[in-house]
């Protein structure tokens, strides 16, 4: 699309806006009628540790939204010489899970508790046993029940319980709803009914009945919607919440608010059954869309859904590239010591490519990238470790390869359950995130880990804000198509990216590496226990 066509789209009110509240950045993406990004804005923020719990101040949510949108307007003005007055549709997404509880006046009862909090161990364990279903620490139902176990006084006053995306959408439209993917991270969703699992809801209500609360669970949870359903329109008050200048007009439709996992699936065209994606950056997670439920619950596997309600097996890892970044920083210091000019992109590229020269099993070297704890492998805390024995092949190539393997080691352990024990079939897995930035390297490592071809698409770098913009576009342009068909035929038009298949040597080498890695977890545990 030419600059003039983009300008005409904006002025005609045909552009679509997607905004995602990430952990470190709020990002806005404006797309045209062909779903191509034409302008972006953002706002950096960070969570705060208040009274031992990770939170974002409620005022900061709105300040961040307004600043992000103002930066988008500024970009539009600079690029196209016009302003945003009307939009065709809007979508909001945010980090999933957590705890936002409000009273009947829509006043927040306790500070927003994010997914990062791990104070819910007792609640999650009891609910997992009650439901016979893995309920992670970060899920909203774990937070709620933990508050109940602690006899928190605010619980009796709860009128609304939602996620960050659901809260923002509610305030902008007056509709207390949630997309099914985000809802599946509050309490399990039944993929047949595409709403909260009725049996689990009933069990929960009976469990807490002795407390005598005036509410039942369904009274306080948002109504669940699937992609393409009406989720309300932007009110005049809502428009002012986004754009205090008053330039943005009310009345445009909003798609159901979604979580960041769902928008990642959309942005990588991975909502169809037998497809999946891997997001690998500071943390990592994989999402595999299932043809049928797993045979039993697994503590290492979270069950969520796509934005259109298909069941998804999720492996969530707290750590990925942070330890690699620390080591690259050390090499940077060495270059500075020698007086060598530094280009960080070139440094990463050279070191990542050097890993391709290493032995398939890293010559015996092992890396544990545990900056923080890792629930999948049972570590409550983390200690980054590099481990070798005297006879291992200690070369730069093996060193870098060991760290690239280590960054996705936990991901492999979780996915081995799906691919080997459960026999889950996957036709296409798409990778996105910083781990894949150096062309071909991260792809090859992940292909070896999962013994599956891995694709990477250029558009995956647009991220979740683009993903929620696509869901907003689907709301008004789907013409009766399923979400999977809309993405396949309209948005991606058959583009599945560049694929790399695993080699037998790489697969065998990674398997040898992960055997040593698994045995060596006792070393990691000892480091946690003795420091």
């Amino acid at each position: 699309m030419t600059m003039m066509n983009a300008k005409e789209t904006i002025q005609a009110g045909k552009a679509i806006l997607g905004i995602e509240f990430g952990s470190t950045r709020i990002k806005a993406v404006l797309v045209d009628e062909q779903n191509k990004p034409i302008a972006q804005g953002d706002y950096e923020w960070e969570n705060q540790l208040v009274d031992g719990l990770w939170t974002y101040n409620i005022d900061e949510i709105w300040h961040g939204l307004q600043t992000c949108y103002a930066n988008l307007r500024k970009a539009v003005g600079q690029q196209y010489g016009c302003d945003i007055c009307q939009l065709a549709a809007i979508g909001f997404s945010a980090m999933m899970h957590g705890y936002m509880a409000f009273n009947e006046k829509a006043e927040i009862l306790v500070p927003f508790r994010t997914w990062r909090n791990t104070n819910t161990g007792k609640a999650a364990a009891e609910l997992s046993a009650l439901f016979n279903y893995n309920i992670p620490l970060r899920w909203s139902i774990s937070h709620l029940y933990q508050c109940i176990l602690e006899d928190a006084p605010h619980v009796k006053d709860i009128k609304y319980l939602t996620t960050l995306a659901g809260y923002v959408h509610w305030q902008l439209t007056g509709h207390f709803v949630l997309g099914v993917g985000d809802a599946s991270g509050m309490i399990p969703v039944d993929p047949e009914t595409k709403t909260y699992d009725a049996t689990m809801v009933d069990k929960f209500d009976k469990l807490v009945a002795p407390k005598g609360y005036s509410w039942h669970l369904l009274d306080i949870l948002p109504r669940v919607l699937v992609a393409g359903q009406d989720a309300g329109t932007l009110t005049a008050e809502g428009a002012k919440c986004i754009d205090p200048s008053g330039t943005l007009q009310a009345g445009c439709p909003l798609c159901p608010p979604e979580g960041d996992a769902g928008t990642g699936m959309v942005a990588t065209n991975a909502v169809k059954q037998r497809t999946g994606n891997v997001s690998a950056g500071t943390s990592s997670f994989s999402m595999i869309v299932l043809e049928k439920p797993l045979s039993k619950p697994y503590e290492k596997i979270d069950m969520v859904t796509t934005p259109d309600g298909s069941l998804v097996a999720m492996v969530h890892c707290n750590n990925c590239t942070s330890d690699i970044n620390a080591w690259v920083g050390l090499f940077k210091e060495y270059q500075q010591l020698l007086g060598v000019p530094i280009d960080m992109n070139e440094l990463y590229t050279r070191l990542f490519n050097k890993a391709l020269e290493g032995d398939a099993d890293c010559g015996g070297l092992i890396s544990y990238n545990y900056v923080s704890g890792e629930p999948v492998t049972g570590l409550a805390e983390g200690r980054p470790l590099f481990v070798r024995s005297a006879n291992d092949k200690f070369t730069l190539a093996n060193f870098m390869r060991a760290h690239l393997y280590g960054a996705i080691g936990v991901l492999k352990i979780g996915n081995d359950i799906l691919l080997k024990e459960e026999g889950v079939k996957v036709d296409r897995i798409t990778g996105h995130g910083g781990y894949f930035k150096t062309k071909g390297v991260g792809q090859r490592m992940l292909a070896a880990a999962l013994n599956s071809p891995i694709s990477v698409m250029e558009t995956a770098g647009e991220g979740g804000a683009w993903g929620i913009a696509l869901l907003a576009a689907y709301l008004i342009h789907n013409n009766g198509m399923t979400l999977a068909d809309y993405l396949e035929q309209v948005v991606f038009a058959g583009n599945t990216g560049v694929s790399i298949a695993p080699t037998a040597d790489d697969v065998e080498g990674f398997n040898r590496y992960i055997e040593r890695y698994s045995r060596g977890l006792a070393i990691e545990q000892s480091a946690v226990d003795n420091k």
Side-chain angles (χ1 to χ4, degrees), residues 205-268:
D205 282 338
K206 289 177 179 176
L207 176 66
V208 304
K211 295 288 186 179
Y213 299 127
S214 62
W215 50 262
H216 291 90
L217 190 56
L218 291 184
D219 297 334
I220 63 175
L221 292 176
R223 182 166 58 92
V224 180
L225 300 175
V226 299
Q229 286 189 305
D230 175 24
T233 58
L234 183 66
T235 64
E237 296 81 5
K240 281 287 185 72
C241 286
I242 300 174
D243 180 15
S245 76
T247 305
L248 179 63
Q249 298 175 18
C252 72
L254 272 72
C255 68
E258 266 300 347
D260 51 359
T263 56
M265 287 186 278
V266 170
T268 53

Side-chain angles (χ1 to χ4, degrees), residues 306-451:
T306 63
D308 57 351
S310 292
L311 197 61
V312 175
M314 179 182 190
V315 177
H316 185 277
C317 311
N318 284 358
N319 303 281
C320 187
T321 58
S322 293
D323 195 38
I324 293 175
N325 295 340
W327 281 106
V328 174
L330 195 68
F331 287 117
K332 171 189 172 183
E333 286 190 46
Y334 178 65
Q335 283 190 280
Q336 289 174 323
L337 184 65
L338 296 180
V340 177
I342 297 167
D343 181 319
M344 289 304 290
N345 286 329
E346 182 182 4
L347 183 56
Y348 271 100
T349 299
R350 285 179 177 268
L351 288 171
F352 271 50
N353 278 309
K354 187 67 177 178
L356 298 177
E357 301 174 17
D359 295 314
D361 66 350
C362 306
L365 312 182
I366 308 173
S367 166
Y368 295 99
N369 65 334
Y370 295 6
V371 174
S372 64
E374 195 58 78
V376 172
T377 49
L379 274 296
E381 297 179 41
R383 300 287 186 271
L385 289 178
F386 173 67
V387 181
R388 68 186 181 98
S389 64
N391 295 323
D392 291 337
K393 299 178 182 177
F394 188 32
T395 66
L396 178 60
N398 281 336
F399 177 84
M400 286 307 302
R401 193 171 184 122
H403 280 87
L404 286 167
Y405 276 16
I408 54 173
V410 177
L411 201 67
K412 175 177 173 56
I413 290 170
N415 277 279
D416 276 353
I417 295 172
L418 297 173
L419 303 178
K420 294 181 179 180
E421 295 183 33
E422 287 284 336
V424 170
K425 303 299 182 186
V426 187
D427 296 328
R428 182 180 73 239
I429 297 177
T430 304
H432 65 122
Y435 184 81
F436 304 102
K437 188 173 181 180
T438 300
K439 187 176 181 179
V441 179
Q443 261 182 287
R444 179 172 163 183
M445 303 303 168
L446 186 62
L450 303 187
N451 193 17

Side-chain angles (χ1 to χ4, degrees), residues 128 131-135 200 290 292-303 311-314 414 416-418 420-424:
S128 295
F131 296 157
N132 190 33
Y133 199 99
N134 180 40
I135 305 297
M200 297 185 197
L290 304 176
K292 60 181 181 180
L294 301 181
S295 64
K296 62 181 180 180
Y298 294 91
E299 189 176 353
K300 295 178 173 65
I301 310 293
D302 301 347
M303 303 305 298
L311 197 61
V312 175
M314 179 182 190
D416 276 353
I417 295 172
L418 297 173
K420 294 181 179 180
E421 295 183 33
E422 287 284 336
V424 170

Side-chain angles (χ1 to χ4, degrees), residues 136-312:
L137 302 180
R138 63 189 184 280
W139 282 26
S140 303
I141 195 69
S142 296
H143 286 277
L144 173 61
Y145 189 48
Q146 188 67 39
C147 290
I148 292 171
L149 289 174
E150 295 170 0
D151 289 318
H154 76 271
V155 175
K156 67 181 187 305
D157 299 320
I158 296 176
K159 179 68 175 179
Y160 306 97
L161 180 66
T162 189
T163 65
L164 178 55
Y167 166 67
V168 172
H169 181 98
W170 173 34
Q171 297 304 299
L172 299 180
T173 66
H175 286 243
F176 190 62
V177 298
L178 200 59
V180 65
D182 206 3
S184 69
M186 294 192 76
I187 182 173
V189 160
D190 183 340
E192 295 298 322
T193 64
K194 302 191 189 306
T195 190
Y196 307 111
D197 187 288
T199 300
M200 297 185 197
V201 167
D202 184 59
K203 286 183 177 181
F204 184 86
D205 282 338
K206 289 177 179 176
L207 176 66
V208 304
K211 295 288 186 179
Y213 299 127
S214 62
W215 50 262
H216 291 90
L217 190 56
L218 291 184
D219 297 334
I220 63 175
L221 292 176
R223 182 166 58 92
V224 180
L225 300 175
V226 299
Q229 286 189 305
D230 175 24
T233 58
L234 183 66
T235 64
E237 296 81 5
K240 281 287 185 72
C241 286
I242 300 174
D243 180 15
S245 76
T247 305
L248 179 63
Q249 298 175 18
C252 72
L254 272 72
C255 68
E258 266 300 347
D260 51 359
T263 56
M265 287 186 278
V266 170
T268 53
N269 191 19
V271 302
K272 184 181 292 186
Q273 292 179 356
R274 294 175 65 115
T275 65
N277 78 325
V278 170
S279 174
T282 304
S283 61
S284 68
F285 57 85
S286 64
M287 315 283 290
I288 306 296
V289 188
L290 304 176
E291 295 178 282
K292 60 181 181 180
L294 301 181
S295 64
K296 62 181 180 180
Y298 294 91
E299 189 176 353
K300 295 178 173 65
I301 310 293
D302 301 347
M303 303 305 298
V304 292
T305 78
T306 63
D308 57 351
S310 292
L311 197 61
V312 175

Side-chain angles (χ1 to χ4, degrees), residues 38-51:
I38 53 177
Q40 298 184 9
D42 65 5
Y43 173 77
E44 292 187 0
W45 69 341
E46 59 181 349
N47 50 193
Q48 304 293 325
L49 189 63
V50 179
D51 296 328

